[in-house]
């Protein structure tokens, strides 16, 4: 039995931010993490001498992203090369006319979203696709990458609330490395310690773990909405509003495959290709990110789920087939699979990032609200306008820590 002032559940970006903000306070805190590593959906692995980000990779809204300065201060390298998706010229397998037509369809859709976001009634973003438009399948593929779900699953009001400055940077050593490096030294982090049950009906909160019981005055819950909704952390007495909010903010799915190139110089640096422009079940392929000898394939939504279901080799096989369609069969012998993700199958994430279902945009505030001045909630899905990002998760952890300090001190 351990007694602390504050128990933080989950050592992802939100949990580490909460721990960091509490480390300077007189309160005792502990972070309980289910996995044997920290970072959660921020996870860099080193393969073939390359730091590969299996989860978050881009410092979105980098010009006002609070993590940029903190990461740079720790001596990591902020790379400001713009992403290929920001540069239409970088889409190697589109003609100039196609790029222009897609750009026009995208801008018109965005304008309709902005206009509809102020309506009293929320609706699915797919309502605003122009019937019969030739670019609808690719717009839906974009939604699958960006939201982790096609537009029929996405609330117009929530989609419009996302704040994106359009400035995107990377960290050469990896975003996962950077987030793990922000863990405070003054707070104990216990890996391999899943919390199965959080009871809040006694004078002290009671957290059950395989390594014993932790009693606390307050808890900061930082697990994903999908973990909450699936009962990966049970809270008793139940909090029906929180469960409903978690269900209204499901995690979409985005998965990656990293392919190593034997003759990288044959491919342009920082370019991208789509497998196809006339279907939604297609990958987007980032060629030679940061000049490295790799292609990073990205899949989203229904297609990513189907590939995960089809088994561990399915996504890589699909990526190679699509790239053969673009570069010819010679590519087959010049690539090898370095890594692939399966975020839906990860029991401690159960998906990639949250989106609000149509009509459920208000659930982010419900999820983020404190209960009884001692249960606090953080994580990317709690962010009002930086949800689905690592910096949004970080900000919610800091906000939860401020609430804890106000309640306990
Ligand atoms: C493929 C992919 C690409 C992405 N790309 C980007 C990007 O480019 N830029 C960006 O900003 N964001 C990106 N994201 C999103 C970003 O990674 C997440 O929004 C962010 O890392 C979430 O942080 P979090 O703290 O809210 O949750 P998590 O990182 O999920 O942290 C929750 C932690 O809780 C732990 N946990 C779960 N259940 C329990 C339990 N019962 N007891 C104890 N611990 C538990 C988990 O193991 C985990 O460590 C991407 C994500 C994915 C998957």
């Amino acid at each position: 039995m351990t007694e602390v002032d504050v128990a933080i559940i989950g050592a992802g970006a939100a949990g580490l931010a909460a721990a960091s903000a509490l480390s300077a306070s007189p309160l005792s805190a502990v972070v309980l993490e289910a996995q044997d590593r920290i970072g959660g959906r921020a996870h860099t692995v080193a393969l073939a001498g390359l730091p590969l980000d299996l989860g978050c990779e881009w410092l979105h809204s980098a010009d006002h992203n609070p993590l940029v300065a903190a990461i740079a201060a720790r001596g990591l390298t902020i790379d400001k090369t713009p992403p290929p998706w920001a540069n239409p010229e970088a889409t190697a397998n589109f003609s100039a006319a196609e790029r222009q037509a897609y750009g026009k369809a995208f801008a018109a859709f965005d304008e309709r979203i902005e206009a509809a976001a102020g309506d009293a009634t929320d609706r699915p973003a797919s309502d605003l696709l122009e019937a019969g438009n030739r670019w609808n399948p690719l717009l839906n593929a974009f939604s699958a990458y960006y939201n982790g779900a096609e537009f029929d699953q996405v609330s117009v009001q929530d989609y419009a609330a996302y704040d994106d400055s359009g400035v995107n940077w990377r960290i050469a050593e990896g975003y996962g490395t950077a987030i793990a490096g922000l863990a405070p030294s003054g707070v104990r982090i216990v890996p391999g310690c899943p919390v199965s049950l959080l009871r809040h009906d006694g004078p002290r909160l009671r957290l059950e773990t395989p390594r014993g019981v932790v009693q606390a005055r307050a808890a900061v819950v930082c697990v994903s909405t999908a973990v909450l909704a699936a009962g990966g952390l049970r809270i008793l007495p139940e909090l029906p509003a929180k469960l409903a909010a978690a269900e209204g903010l499901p995690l979409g799915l985005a998965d990656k495959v990293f392919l190593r190139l034997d003759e990288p110089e044959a491919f342009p640096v920082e370019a991208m290709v789509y497998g196809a422009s006339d279907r939604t079940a297609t990958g987007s392929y980032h060629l030679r990110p940061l000049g490295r000898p790799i292609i990073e394939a990205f899949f989203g939504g229904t297609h990513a789920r189907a590939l995960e279901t089809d088994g561990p080799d399915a996504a890589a096989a699909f990526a190679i087939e699509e790239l053969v369609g673009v570069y010819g069969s010679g590519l087959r012998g010049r690539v090898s699979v370095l890594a692939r993700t399966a975020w839906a199958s990860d029991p401690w994430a159960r998906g990639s990032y949250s989106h609000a279902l149509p009509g459920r945009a208000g659930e982010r505030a419900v999820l983020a609200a404190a209960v009884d001045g001692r249960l606090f909630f953080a994580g990317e899905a709690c962010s009002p306008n930086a949800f689905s990002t690592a910096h949004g998760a970080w900000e919610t952890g800091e906000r939860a820590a401020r609430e804890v300090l106000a309640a306990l001190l």
Side-chain angles (χ1 to χ4, degrees):
M1 175 92 78
T2 306
E3 288 232 20
V4 286
D5 290 318
V6 192
I8 299 167
I9 307 172
L16 294 175
S20 185
L22 291 172
S23 65
S25 82
L27 299 175
S28 59
V30 65
V31 185
L32 306 170
E33 167 54 50
Q35 302 188 73
D36 58 6
R37 62 172 182 85
I38 62 171
R41 285 172 272 165
H43 186 200
T44 307
V45 293
L47 287 173
L50 301 167
L52 305 179
D53 272 316
L54 302 184
C56 58
E57 175 172 353
W58 295 91
L59 288 154
H60 293 312
S61 298
D63 49 347
H64 60 254
N65 182 322
L67 291 173
V68 172
I71 291 168
R74 278 167 175 72
L76 299 190
T77 319
I78 307 289
D79 184 284
K80 299 188 178 178
T81 311
W85 70 79
N87 172 13
E89 300 291 317
T91 309
N93 62 337
F94 271 23
S95 71
E98 282 175 323
R99 279 183 219 131
Q100 211 184 13
Y102 178 56
K104 216 171 127 190
F106 195 103
F109 175 71
D110 238 21
E111 273 177 31
R112 292 193 293 274
I113 290 277
E114 287 304 321
D119 292 353
T121 315
D122 194 15
R123 49 187 165 147
S126 55
D127 279 11
L128 302 172
L129 291 169
E130 187 185 57
N133 190 299
R134 173 246 187 276
W135 294 103
N136 285 350
L138 196 59
L139 286 170
N140 246 327
F142 159 79
S143 180
Y145 311 137
Y146 189 83
N147 300 303
E150 285 80 350
F151 277 129
D152 63 339
Q153 303 290 307
V154 175
S155 143
V156 165
Q157 289 176 352
D158 194 58
Y159 182 66
Y162 179 71
D163 175 21
D164 182 2
S165 75
V167 180
N168 297 283
W169 297 340
R170 277 166 290 182
I171 303 145
E173 296 83 355
Y175 209 157
T177 303
I179 294 287
L182 295 175
S185 52
V187 174
R188 192 165 156 231
I189 300 176
V190 188
C193 191
V195 179
S196 53
L197 178 63
L198 165 56
R199 289 208 74 102
H200 60 108
D201 46 1
R204 286 270 185 279
L205 302 176
R206 187 184 155 87
L207 292 83
E208 293 186 3
T209 85
R211 300 173 67 170
V213 171
V214 176
Q215 292 207 347
R217 294 169 66 200
V220 185
V221 176
C222 302
V223 306
S224 77
T225 50
V227 167
L228 262 188
L233 164 66
R234 286 187 69 212
I235 302 180
L236 288 178
E238 274 181 3
L239 299 172
K242 294 290 182 192
L243 273 184
E247 283 163 7
L249 301 167
L251 293 201
L253 185 61
D255 272 326
K256 300 181 185 181
V257 172
F258 294 88
L259 299 173
R260 189 184 167 84
L261 291 165
D262 287 348
E263 293 165 21
E265 44 305 322
F267 296 86
V269 169
E270 300 286 7
M272 73 177 277
V273 299
Y274 291 108
S277 67
D278 58 357
R279 62 171 186 259
T280 299
T282 189
S284 88
Y285 301 91
H286 186 171
L287 307 182
R288 303 201 54 207
L290 299 171
R292 292 172 178 161
I294 59 172
I295 295 179
E296 188 176 326
F298 205 78
F299 302 105
T302 309
H303 182 50
R305 280 185 204 280
L307 291 172
E308 272 199 33
T309 306
D310 286 350
D313 302 328
F318 183 89
I320 291 169
E321 273 321 300
E322 280 206 319
L323 288 165
V324 162
V326 178
Y327 290 106
S329 56
L331 177 125
R332 227 184 285 279
R334 284 155 50 201
V335 293
S336 49
V337 181
L338 267 182
R340 56 115 201 156
T341 67
W343 285 102
S345 314
D346 176 338
W348 305 114
R350 293 178 173 266
S352 299
Y353 27 79
S354 70
H355 60 94
L357 296 175
R360 309 294 289 275
E363 303 281 23
R364 297 205 185 273
V366 175
L367 185 68
V371 175
D372 294 338
R374 59 180 188 162
L375 288 186
F376 301 88
F377 290 80
E380 55 87 9
C382 296
S383 170
N385 45 33
F387 46 82
S388 79
T389 70
H391 71 278
W394 187 269
E395 288 170 334
T396 65
E398 291 187 326
R399 185 262 305 140
R402 285 193 298 274
E403 292 173 349
V404 169
L405 293 171
L408 296 199
L409 289 183

